[in-house]
Amino acid sequence: MKFDTPATTNPIDQLKVIGQPVDRIDGPLKTTGTAPYAYERHDVAANPAYGCIVGSGIAKGRILSFDLSRAKAAPGVLAIVTHENAGKLDKGRFNAARLLGGPVVEHYHQAIALVVAETFEQARAAAQLVQVTYARTEGAFGLAHAKASTERRTTDRDNTVGDFAGAFAKAEVRLDATYSTPDHSHAMMEPHATLAAWDGDRLSVWTSNQMIDWTTGDLARTLGMPRDKVHLMSPYIGGGFGGKLFLRADTLLAALGARIARRPVKVAMQRPLIANNTTHRPATIQRIRIGATPQGKITAIGHESWSGNLADGKPENAVQQTRLLYAGEHRLTGTRLALLDLPEGNAMRAPGEAPGLMALEVAIDEMAERLGIDPIEFRVLNDTQVDPANAARPFSQRRLVECMRTGAERFGWNQRGARPGLVRDGRWLVGIGMAAAFRNNQVTKSGARVALDRLGTVTVETDMTDIGTGSYTIIAQTAAEMMGVPLERVVVRLGDSRFPVSSGSGGQWGANCSTAGVYAACTKLRDAVARRAGLEPVGAVFSDGMVRAGARSVPLAGLAGLEGEGAIVAEDVLEFGNLDKQYQQSTFGAHFVEVGVDAFTAEIRVRRMLAVCASGRILNPKSARSQVIGAMTMGVGAALMEELAVDERLGFFVNHDLAGYEVPVHADIPHQEVIFMDETDPISSPMKAKGVGELGICGVGAAVANAVYNATGVRVRDYPITLDKLIARMPDAA
Ligand code: MOS
């Protein structure tokens, strides 16, 4: 099915099942610990051995030699994989560095060996005995240092509209400020983990991955084998956040270990390796310049961002929202890549916008103060309903102003003191802040196969993944709505490379695109089922387990055979035309935060949070709310805690475990409220939905920062906002 004209009324609009806050259908499996995660697949491959990864102890250089004699002699050891016995490996299409290093080492904790043994403990013990002689070379590890020396060499092309420099110079009110965000780790609960088993030249892997199609292709490419000989399964995923978009070392090494040991092999990447071995959200340095009239109209807006990466990596696109969020005739945006020898920087929840808005939405707050205009009114004054660089291109939907107004009303924005540092509650200085939320809505084709069996059960198969987001549930809701059956009559199977290729889970496109693929397949199935019932398909109505046309009504149960024995099967792919070229598709919101800052110690506590989201149709308000409160929590982490500390001499992230890498816990997070605007976007898909899982983090960090400023009058432009950055500048506590 091609989606190239705006959606009209369709069966999804009935909202009997879609749009309802139903419980997660995988909830009982999760809460009873019986959802089979990759490392727990005891049922599929007999007698697995265990692999333990050895990470490089240097960031850059060469391995001169291995001494494996002691490791090989250790109890239980079956095999040791290194570049010397792994065979020829290609580099994956999506990897900036090789997943098995050696002899060249490209970053710290790059995998250089896998020790395979009978038990996990034996593998771990023997891994300590692997002796490596390195020749270390100097590398570039500090973004601030690399910024100056590499920006000219590797400047991306700037994106300009009008004459930014001239308009900024002429503007009567100006802001020129620089902000920084540190490297972040995904810190998902389930580590990257894989069980691999060979059957002759066929490879089966059970793993934890967001994008089945990309990863199956990359595993085959890396191993130099035909893609159809790789069977990849990832039905349950304990968090991804972008860290599991791509093939990673656990999967490749499990496959190599299983080949060399001639046994199924399980590998769970050790937690202390994850931060340096896998990808992370790269640090940024962002310069923002805003020029405005005294009345608050933006005339010039400029946003440049520097970030580091390996040579095959990309800069963090922290400026992308600045092209679209506010009006302004003269514009400049650009990203710069500094070549660094740190581990690969790549996508983490709302790549681009999440760190970009941490800077932009503080700059907007600073500019509003300079102008003496309320921060919400300043944003309203500069709202735009069209792409600011192309007036012929409207937003498909844009209700930013309504989100801010609704949030202001519900949160009690009028209680905020316009002058900072004046509201006290005992020892706490209290402040309120807000930020706009913005995230683009990307669309990508998605396929599904659906079947109706004799019992009237509808089965959906697609390689879509559920990374904790609720994909199982919204896909079941979609099929139930389309086929007119109760949710209990739908079976959903996900995350298998033998199923039709879906959008996968990334960039908050998964919910809208994958359900649209199910919609397309169900549209075909309705047709086939109506014909089987001897009814005219056009205008047939599916409800209450029946298909009806004219005066005739036929139960779905009994129409077909059992699964594999004559069930009615339909498969389709929802392909998107160019509506996303004609219209700018984005999601909008507003975040509100109240903080208390201890007047004596500068300890920051978040007291209340509210998100208002305009994201098209909300397919399931319960799972969508969970996505948003999770994202808000992650935003608090980014604002106040998260920072991979870089050792700039040796080139690695020092705090590479969950003891030193701090994330918010329950006790850090107070009352959170989420409001969804009641809207549908007929431009986005037949589902009229958009993503919300990343919108929820976009702007949160800035809202926290603006609240801290409102509480204290101290502006911190370098995240995370920790008390050491505040305390010397705090107002006199007395
Ligand atoms: Mo997302 S950062 O594309 O999983």
Side-chain angles (χ1 to χ4, degrees):
M1 179 182 290
K2 185 88 182 258
F3 179 71
D4 51 9
T5 53
T8 51
T9 302
N10 68 42
I12 295 296
D13 297 325
Q14 299 174 98
L15 302 182
K16 289 182 189 162
V17 198
I18 282 290
Q20 303 301 318
V22 302
D23 288 346
R24 298 268 294 263
I25 62 174
D26 51 331
L29 286 176
K30 299 280 177 72
T31 52
T32 56
T34 48
Y37 289 83
Y39 203 70
E40 297 157 346
R41 292 308 301 260
H42 307 297
D43 52 329
V44 288
N47 194 24
Y50 291 80
C52 185
I53 299 172
V54 178
S56 168
I58 63 167
K60 192 177 187 186
R62 291 181 72 82
I63 294 169
L64 297 180
S65 64
F66 282 107
D67 179 354
L68 303 178
S69 53
R70 288 179 66 213
K72 276 184 176 158
V77 170
L78 300 166
I80 301 177
V81 180
T82 70
H83 73 274
E84 291 171 348
N85 64 352
K88 181 179 161 347
L89 299 174
D90 270 337
K91 189 157 111 178
R93 186 155 69 99
F94 295 98
N95 298 124
R98 286 177 181 269
L99 297 177
L100 177 61
V104 174
V105 171
E106 296 162 288
H107 63 87
Y108 189 80
H109 275 176
Q110 184 175 28
I112 54 169
L114 181 80
V115 177
V116 180
E118 289 287 349
T119 69
F120 168 70
E121 289 77 8
Q122 289 171 332
R124 184 178 56 183
Q128 310 296 318
L129 303 176
V130 170
Q131 302 282 318
V132 191
T133 307
Y134 299 102
R136 191 159 75 82
T137 43
E138 295 300 311
F141 306 117
L143 174 60
H145 298 138
K147 175 178 179 274
S149 58
T150 61
E151 62 184 285
R152 274 181 305 267
R153 215 152 39 89
T154 53
T155 296
D156 281 20
R157 199 170 305 136
D158 285 345
N159 193 301
T160 57
V161 179
D163 169 23
F164 169 76
F168 182 70
K170 280 208 281 294
E172 285 186 62
V173 184
R174 282 195 297 260
L175 174 82
D176 181 349
T178 298
Y179 305 84
S180 71
T181 64
D183 299 281
H184 287 161
S185 184
H186 304 89
M188 71 290 281
M189 283 173 70
E190 183 203 21
H192 302 70
T194 301
L195 165 60
W198 291 87
D199 177 9
D201 63 350
R202 309 187 76 89
L203 172 63
S204 295
V205 299
W206 293 264
T207 188
S208 182
N209 188 277
Q210 300 173 226
M211 299 295 293
I212 303 303
D213 182 51
W214 292 0
T215 300
T216 306
D218 247 11
L219 181 56
R221 185 175 298 109
T222 306
L223 291 168
M225 60 188 283
R227 184 198 162 95
D228 61 3
K229 299 236 159 128
V230 177
H231 185 192
L232 190 138
M233 290 151 279
S234 179
Y236 296 101
I237 298 156
F241 309 118
K244 294 177 182 167
L245 286 167
F246 318 110
L247 175 69
R248 297 302 317 171
D250 58 301
T251 308
L252 176 64
L253 289 172
L256 292 169
R259 188 159 75 191
I260 294 171
R262 300 181 171 278
R263 281 266 290 277
V265 168
K266 280 183 173 190
V267 177
M269 185 173 293
Q270 303 98 292
R271 180 67 65 181
L273 287 186
I274 291 178
N276 286 285
N277 178 284
T278 71
T279 58
H280 66 281
R281 188 201 298 287
T284 65
I285 296 171
Q286 303 179 45
R287 181 186 187 193
I288 296 179
R289 284 174 285 175
I290 304 173
T293 65
Q295 294 74 35
K297 275 278 178 203
I298 294 175
T299 52
I301 184 162
H303 190 166
E304 296 151 278
S305 178
W306 289 258
S307 52
N309 217 331
L310 294 163
D312 283 355
K314 291 196 211 81
E316 179 77 11
N317 194 357
V319 306
Q320 62 193 359
Q321 72 289 320
T322 307
R323 300 202 177 114
L324 292 162
L325 192 46
Y326 299 112
E329 200 180 335
H330 303 283
R331 319 177 69 86
L332 162 73
T333 50
T335 54
R336 317 273 188 276
L337 179 66
L339 291 182
L340 292 184
D341 299 295
L342 287 173
E344 179 186 353
N346 210 314
M348 180 168 146
R349 199 174 200 167
E353 284 99 330
L357 286 162
M358 287 169 76
L360 178 65
E361 285 299 288
V362 172
I364 291 288
D365 200 71
E366 295 199 46
M367 191 66 186
E369 184 181 43
R370 221 163 260 204
L371 288 157
I373 300 176
D374 175 88
I376 292 178
E377 298 310 321
F378 180 48
R379 289 172 170 91
V380 171
L381 266 174
N382 292 288
D383 188 47
T384 173
Q385 292 295 318
V386 296
D387 178 344
N390 178 2
R393 201 161 162 271
F395 286 92
S396 64
Q397 295 255 346
R398 178 174 165 125
R399 294 173 72 198
L400 172 61
V401 171
E402 289 96 319
C403 289
M404 293 191 294
R405 296 267 189 244
T406 302
E409 167 85 27
R410 290 287 284 266
F411 201 72
W413 180 251
N414 58 8
Q415 292 161 32
R416 172 183 176 270
R419 285 190 49 214
L422 297 181
V423 179
R424 282 289 282 263
D425 175 9
R427 63 188 287 142
W428 299 96
L429 293 163
V430 179
I432 292 178
M434 64 80 61
F438 174 97
R439 172 75 174 147
N440 272 330
N441 184 61
Q442 302 175 71
V443 290
T444 180
K445 70 176 180 184
S446 196
R449 182 158 61 226
V450 288
L452 173 72
D453 73 8
R454 193 167 74 204
L455 308 172
T457 300
V458 176
T459 301
V460 185
E461 292 177 334
T462 162
D463 84 357
M464 179 60 186
T465 48
D466 188 326
I467 64 175
T469 40
S471 310
Y472 277 105
T473 310
I474 57 171
I475 284 171
Q477 287 176 270
T478 304
E481 193 78 75
M482 289 296 289
M483 301 311 298
V485 299
L487 204 55
E488 302 73 46
R489 289 253 69 102
V490 181
V491 173
V492 180
R493 300 190 187 124
L494 299 182
D496 189 313
S497 62
R498 293 188 176 159
F499 298 158
V501 174
S502 73
S503 62
S505 296
Q508 79 168 11
W509 63 64
N512 177 46
C513 297
S514 71
T515 55
V518 174
Y519 170 93
C522 285
T523 301
K524 264 196 182 171
L525 184 63
R526 285 163 60 106
D527 204 86
V529 168
R531 284 179 205 286
R532 178 73 63 89
L535 302 174
E536 167 56 37
V538 178
V541 174
F542 288 75
S543 70
D544 306 311
M546 316 275 280
V547 51
R548 247 190 349 267
R552 281 194 59 218
S553 205
V554 179
L556 299 186
L559 269 181
L562 289 175
E563 189 173 16
E565 301 168 22
I568 306 174
V569 183
E571 183 173 332
D572 203 5
V573 178
L574 194 290
E575 295 189 73
F576 292 88
N578 66 352
L579 283 174
D580 66 329
K581 308 282 179 312
Q582 297 167 37
Y583 297 87
Q584 176 58 42
Q585 292 186 27
S586 305
T587 63
F588 295 90
H591 287 289
F592 291 80
V593 174
E594 181 181 291
V595 300
V597 182
D598 188 301
F600 298 92
T601 67
E603 175 191 0
I604 303 166
R605 304 298 300 177
V606 177
R607 292 157 66 113
R608 293 190 292 140
M609 303 181 78
L610 166 67
V612 185
C613 303
S615 289
R617 170 173 285 151
I618 299 300
L619 301 173
N620 179 332
K622 188 180 272 186
S623 58
R625 177 180 179 278
S626 293
Q627 281 297 293
V628 175
I629 64 173
M632 291 158 79
T633 304
M634 214 166 175
V636 170
L640 301 178
M641 301 171 194
E642 292 186 55
E643 175 174 27
L644 286 167
V646 181
D647 182 320
E648 294 194 11
R649 290 167 311 139
L650 298 177
F652 67 100
F653 300 127
V654 180
N655 50 339
H656 48 76
D657 58 37
L658 292 180
Y661 185 81
E662 293 188 7
V663 295
V665 298
H666 274 99
D668 294 312
I669 299 299
H671 186 69
Q672 294 174 317
E673 199 182 337
V674 182
I675 297 171
F676 294 115
M677 301 300 267
D678 188 9
E679 68 174 32
T680 52
D681 190 338
I683 305 296
S684 67
S685 87
M687 303 302 293
K688 305 173 189 173
K690 293 191 278 202
V692 78
E694 296 186 332
L695 180 69
I697 193 175
C698 291
V700 177
V704 173
N706 294 338
V708 169
Y709 175 74
N710 185 244
T712 61
V714 180
R715 188 65 80 176
V716 177
R717 298 194 181 99
D718 300 299
Y719 291 98
I721 304 168
T722 45
L723 51 79
D724 53 298
K725 295 175 188 169
L726 280 178
I727 196 156
R729 297 153 64 199
M730 288 282 282
D732 183 354

